[in-house]
Amino acid sequence: MAAATLVVSLIMSGLTFWAVNTIQQDARMNDTRFGRDLGLLLASNVAPLIAEDNLTEVARFSHRFYSSTSSVRYMIYADEAGQIFFGIPFSESEVQNSLTIQRWIELPEDYAKNSEVPMVRQHLTPDGEVTDVFVPLMQEGKYLGVLAIGINPNPTVVASSNLTRDVTIAVFISIWVMVILGAVFNALMITKPIQELLRGVKNIATGNFKQRIDLPLKGELGELIFSFNEMAERLERYEEQNIEELTAEKAKLETLVSTIADGAVLIDTNFDVVLVNPTARRIFSWEGTDVVGENVLHHLPSAVTMELTRSLYQIAAGQTSAEREREGEEFRITLNEPTPRTVRILLTSVLDQYRESVKGIAMTVQDITREVELNEAKSQFISNVSHELRTPLFNIKSFIETLHEYGEDLSETERREFLETANRETDRLTRLVNDVLDLSRLESCRLYHFEPVDIVQPVEQTLRTYQLNARDKGIELAQDIAPDLPPVLGHYDLLLQVFANLVGNSLKFTEPGGRVMIRAYLLESDPHHHETAQVRVEISDTGIGIDAEDQEAIFDRFFRVENRVHTLEGTGLGLSIVRNIIQKHHSRVHLVSEVGVGTTFWFDLDVFKEKKTPVNQPLKRDSSPSTEATSATVSVP
Ligand code: ADP
């Protein structure tokens, strides 16, 4: 645009200057013609006077002529030798002086004296252009001198040509000013907003939705910028919302993954860990090491790596069957470090949204050590029960057979002994069957009716039952019940069973010379924390103690420490029954134990409050457990 403007303006200016020049040349030609005519006219009038040497008349005539026209700038008369003898506007004195100073006219080189034709030339003076006319003064063929007249150019022509020139320059300058202004305007009003828009669009394209354009413009560009800003704002809001939702979803998922009991490890198709939850860290002993971003095969226990590598490669390559893909692949692996444990690992491929390509592999890890242990304990228990059932049954059968077949041949003592043995074996059978029945009854949702129980009574009954046994084993069995203990809210038969099981265990696991003690005392009740006062019951012994790692497990069904050591007989149900019963009393059994020092089992029972069970009175009990059952109030769900 600038180049076009330049060309156009140059052409226009050129044309104008050419026109001005033509006008000026015309004017000069006019001036020349006018000068020559004027010179000739003046010369023809003055020549006779000069010939007569009538200088006064020459001066007078010249003055008149000079003052009658503004076209003549000067008039100079010189004699044939070229000496000036008169000039206007030079003063008289100057002419006089000129006589002394001897002024000479300087004639142009091509001036011909003998020609009748005047010589005309133009020359520039500080006061503008002057047309010099040199006219030879001739009288009857005699050369008298020269008349030089300076003629001012035609003022209208000068003025008009000057005006034209000035206008052209003004037009030229104004065109350029316009061009420059236009360019600046363009840069400010169009180029800048468009550049800004372009930058904004690029930023948006790279995902920077915070981009805004701040240009106070009106019109279409202003509207465009407004719409752009609106779009950016909407995108930003949308993004924020999306991010919020995603973060919330992610947090939800992460919480879920971190709180599930199973271990979860997510790896990508290069087997680099993407996510791992605390359970998995614990199972694989990854606590303290940052496995995220590392190849899982470098960190898994070697037993696991050995089992999984092949399948992992297959899944990552998408080479698994559809069924396997759906259900995942399951492994059971025994780890030896840090403690022996069994884990079940499930590998599932993570597919993309179209379920076409594998994006990663989800590894679910379950610690099934307990399950395995419990299963083993159960099998052990079943074989124990079978064994324990078979032994007394076999004994009973053989004794009764012997009595039946050879009864007459046996002495009275022998027969009694046989019967006693059979009876004892029947008791053992009953105990076993009772334990199993008790537990299954406790584990069903049956509701028991609680009543005030004076804790001294079941304790004393237990002592009576086990005193003989203790004395046989050489163990001291004693009680220490706080005097005036208030009755507790409980179930007499169940509590009796708790005491029987705990004391039975204590006697079983205590060496001769040891001591088994039952204590009960009122707990200092804190009115802020306990609504009801509580009685604490402790059964302690000086027996073999329980290893810390077994202390949780012994309450499980079928769990027996000696399953591993195979020493003392038992069903492994006693403590399960105890825990169940105490739970029914809305309390928990605790234990403190040290191997080789002894064990104390303790639990708290609520003191009976009148308003809670208003109907029942404290019951006095000292009959055997079998007859107790009839008086216990039992509610069945
Ligand atoms: P069991 O009928 O075999 O005694 P329990 O459930 O009563 O079954 O006890 C589970 C295991 O807890 C026992 O096998 C024993 O190893 C351990 N145990 C229970 N009480 C004691 C105790 N007072 N001292 C040492 N070990 C005990």
Side-chain angles (χ1 to χ4, degrees), residues 432-452:
L432 193 64
V433 171
N434 275 346
D435 266 5
V436 176
L437 282 182
D438 282 345
L439 192 63
S440 63
R441 209 179 311 149
L442 278 165
E443 283 182 351
S444 70
C445 290
R446 180 170 157 177
L447 287 180
Y448 290 86
H449 184 78
F450 288 165
E451 54 198 3

Side-chain angles (χ1 to χ4, degrees), residues 66 129 136 139 259 351 394 441 463 584 609 612:
Y66 181 76
E129 201 172 52
Q139 180 69 22
T259 51
L351 301 174
F394 178 78
R441 209 179 311 149
L463 288 182
K584 293 253 187 277
K609 263 192 185 168
K612 269 199 171 174

Side-chain angles (χ1 to χ4, degrees), residues 435 501-502 505-506 508-509 541 544-546 554 556 559-562 569-576 599 601:
D435 266 5
N501 286 359
L502 291 178
N505 276 347
S506 286
K508 201 156 62 177
F509 298 106
D541 62 51
I544 58 169
I546 302 162
I554 52 165
D556 288 339
F559 187 92
R560 299 168 70 217
V561 175
E562 57 280 11
E569 63 174 44
T571 58
L573 295 177
L575 284 179
S576 293
T599 310
F601 286 90

Side-chain angles (χ1 to χ4, degrees), residues 408-515:
E408 286 105 72
D409 307 338
L410 295 170
S411 68
E412 184 62 21
T413 0
E414 279 174 326
R415 275 210 296 272
R416 180 166 302 150
E417 230 171 73
F418 275 28
L419 279 173
E420 267 173 16
T421 316
N423 197 28
R424 217 176 36 244
E425 293 299 317
T426 319
D427 281 349
R428 211 169 120 192
L429 260 183
T430 318
R431 198 179 64 226
L432 193 64
V433 171
N434 275 346
D435 266 5
V436 176
L437 282 182
D438 282 345
L439 192 63
S440 63
R441 209 179 311 149
L442 278 165
E443 283 182 351
S444 70
C445 290
R446 180 170 157 177
L447 287 180
Y448 290 86
H449 184 78
F450 288 165
E451 54 198 3
V453 177
D454 195 353
I455 211 80
V456 183
Q457 306 213 352
V459 171
E460 278 183 347
Q461 189 170 340
T462 312
L463 288 182
R464 271 202 297 281
T465 317
Y466 282 96
Q467 207 54 264
L468 207 69
N469 187 335
R471 214 171 293 148
D472 282 352
K473 285 195 75 179
I475 297 167
E476 184 195 339
L477 175 60
Q479 53 124 309
D480 176 13
I481 311 284
D484 303 326
L485 207 59
V488 296
L489 183 67
H491 191 283
Y492 185 91
D493 293 336
L494 296 182
L495 287 178
L496 185 67
Q497 195 169 2
V498 167
F499 285 119
N501 286 359
L502 291 178
V503 171
N505 276 347
S506 286
L507 290 175
K508 201 156 62 177
F509 298 106
T510 304
E511 299 296 319
R515 200 164 85 125

Side-chain angles (χ1 to χ4, degrees), residues 274-314:
V274 176
L275 188 143
V276 56
N277 77 346
T279 318
R281 282 181 195 279
R282 209 186 51 239
I283 294 176
F284 292 137
S285 326
W286 285 344
E287 286 124 330
T289 43
D290 194 14
V291 290
V292 173
E294 307 232 342
N295 191 321
V296 77
L297 293 177
H298 299 161
H299 290 277
L300 285 173
S302 54
V304 180
T305 316
M306 236 153 61
E307 290 267 344
L308 297 193
T309 308
R310 217 177 105 88
S311 299
L312 282 176
Y313 273 102
Q314 277 178 351

